[in-house]
């Protein structure tokens, strides 16, 4: 009764089921890895925020990159802001999800190297083609403190690095790009400023990252694995149902054939009886004179 499994329809259904099982298992492990990365990142952020500040140049160098273990690490630097080469980063939001700019200002160290400092967020009140009004930072030689961040890329951020932007506007914070524009050695990565705080609260400092949540990745992983386990169960249920339906259909067909045969025999019997009765009547009829 399972020969129907060799039909084209059931071969396709079976192949699809066989393909879905490993795919769903793999998706579950993908979500598990995302969960593990999120947990590890939260730990890195927590450790970095709790650590004492260190000089920025001890963790990064021109043309270098920021190590994963140093993400959000508090760093310090001594130098002065170069507002003449200040740029803004387009399409950035603040804590209230308002769209504006991040202010990226080169910070020239005592040895002449440059550290990129994200001084915070300002609103996009004017035209998108105009450079916004930005309060000036502290002048002269100062010490800044901030959170060390890696260079932004399209692959990591999902933000497309557009060309042909208005003057002094960029899409991504990238030390290599800024090094070409400045003609100076620029330390890899950048710093989100935490102090000194700007007078009047503008630019609005970047808030501390949330590292308390782990997301729903583990729940999604379990969900995918349950789906994978449900595929063979569902296939088995469909097969049993198909077999039952076919058995019921075959039984109904056999019953119909039996009834048809019975009806045919009854009709033949009636015809025979009628013929015999007709012959008897003829024999009993009186002969004509």
């Amino acid at each position: 009764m399972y020969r129907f499994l060799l039909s084209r329809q059931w071969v396709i259904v079976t192949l699809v089921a066989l393909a879905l099982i490993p795919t769903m298992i793999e998706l579950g492990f993908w979500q598990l890895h995302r969960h593990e990365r999120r947990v590890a990142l939260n730990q890195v952020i927590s450790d970095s925020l709790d650590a004492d500040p260190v000089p920025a140049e001890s963790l990064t160098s021109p043309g270098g990159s920021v190590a994963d273990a140093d993400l959000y690490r508090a760093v310090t630097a001594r130098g002065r802001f170069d507002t003449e080469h200040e740029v803004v980063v387009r399409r950035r939001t603040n804590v209230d999800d308002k769209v504006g700019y991040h202010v990226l200002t080169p910070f020239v160290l005592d040895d002449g190297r440059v550290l990129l400092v994200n001084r915070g967020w300002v609103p996009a009140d004017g035209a998108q083609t105009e450079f916004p009004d930005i309060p000036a930072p502290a002048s002269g030689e100062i010490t800044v403190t901030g959170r060390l961040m890696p260079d932004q890329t399209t692959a990591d951020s999902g933000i497309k690095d557009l060309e042909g932007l208005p003057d002094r506007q960029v899409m991504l914070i990238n030390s290599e790009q800024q090094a070409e524009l400045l003609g100076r050695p620029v330390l890899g990565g950048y710093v989100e400023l935490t102090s000194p705080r700007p007078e009047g609260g503008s630019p609005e400092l970047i808030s501390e990252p949330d590292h308390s949540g782990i997301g729903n990745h583990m729940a999604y992983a379990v969900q995918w694995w349950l789906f994978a386990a449900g595929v063979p169960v569902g296939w088995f249920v469909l097969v049993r149902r198909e077999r039952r339906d076919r058995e019921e259909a075959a039984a109904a067909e056999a019953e119909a054939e039996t009834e048809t045969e019975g009806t045919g025999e009854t009709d033949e019997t009636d015809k025979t009886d009628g013929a015999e009765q007709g012959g008897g009547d003829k024999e009993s009829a009186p002969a004509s004179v």
Side-chain angles (χ1 to χ4, degrees):
M1 290 300 296
Y2 291 101
R3 293 182 61 86
F4 63 86
L5 292 176
L6 299 178
S7 66
R8 181 173 180 271
Q9 176 184 357
W10 273 98
V11 168
I12 294 175
V13 170
T14 303
L15 291 176
V16 171
L18 291 175
L20 284 176
I21 293 173
T23 301
M24 291 179 176
I25 292 174
E26 183 63 27
L27 287 172
F29 278 111
W30 173 61
Q31 289 291 350
L32 176 62
H33 295 330
R34 294 188 67 186
H35 168 78
E36 292 173 342
R37 286 196 296 269
R38 180 64 179 270
V39 172
L41 177 61
N42 286 348
Q43 186 61 49
V44 167
I45 296 174
S46 178
D47 294 342
S48 296
L49 295 178
D50 292 339
D52 295 330
V54 297
E57 52 267 38
S58 68
L59 298 180
T60 182
S61 59
S65 58
V66 176
D68 292 340
D70 296 327
L71 183 66
Y72 289 102
R73 181 67 187 273
V75 296
T76 60
R78 182 76 179 173
R80 57 180 177 79
F81 281 111
D82 178 12
T83 55
E84 182 179 351
H85 297 96
E86 187 173 69
V87 299
V88 292
V89 190
R90 294 167 59 95
R91 301 177 186 174
R92 299 305 166 101
T93 58
N94 65 352
V95 293
D96 298 322
D97 288 332
K98 294 181 179 179
V99 179
Y101 304 96
H102 280 178
V103 181
L104 187 65
T105 310
F107 189 76
V108 183
L109 306 180
D110 293 337
D111 60 7
R113 295 183 296 177
V114 173
L115 174 66
L116 298 178
V117 177
N118 184 348
R119 293 203 291 125
W121 179 89
V122 294
D125 294 333
Q128 294 290 315
T129 57
E130 298 178 358
F131 193 78
D133 292 330
I134 303 172
S139 59
E141 190 171 19
I142 61 172
T143 298
V144 297
T145 303
R147 296 182 292 268
L148 186 61
M149 301 294 294
D151 286 324
Q152 296 178 350
T153 63
T154 297
D156 293 335
S157 66
I159 301 174
K160 188 176 181 180
D161 192 11
L162 301 176
E163 297 181 357
L165 296 176
D167 188 37
R168 299 175 67 185
Q169 296 190 25
V170 297
M171 295 299 299
L172 299 169
I173 303 178
N174 189 280
S175 60
E176 292 184 4
Q177 292 180 356
Q178 293 303 310
E180 294 179 2
L181 295 174
L182 295 171
R184 288 184 175 184
V186 178
L187 300 181
Y190 67 99
V191 168
E192 291 179 348
L193 184 67
T194 57
S195 69
R197 302 186 70 85
E199 296 182 2
S202 182
E204 180 183 315
L205 294 181
I206 308 300
S207 59
E208 186 175 285
D210 178 19
H211 55 284
S212 59
I214 58 175
N216 297 321
H217 302 302
M218 178 56 76
Y220 292 152
V222 173
Q223 187 178 60
W224 279 118
W225 290 332
L226 290 176
F227 288 160
V231 169
V233 175
W235 180 88
F236 181 75
V237 170
L238 290 176
V239 169
R240 291 292 300 271
R241 182 180 298 172
E242 180 74 8
R243 178 187 175 183
R244 184 191 63 197
D245 292 345
R246 287 174 177 265
E247 289 178 344
E248 292 177 353
E253 183 178 352
E255 183 179 354
E257 290 179 356
T258 302
E259 291 179 355
T260 301
E261 292 176 357
T263 302
E265 292 177 356
T266 302
D267 291 342
E268 291 295 330
T269 302
D270 292 343
K271 290 179 180 180
T272 302
D273 292 343
E276 292 178 351
Q277 285 183 351
D281 291 343
K282 290 179 180 180
E283 292 177 357
S284 60
S288 59
V289 179

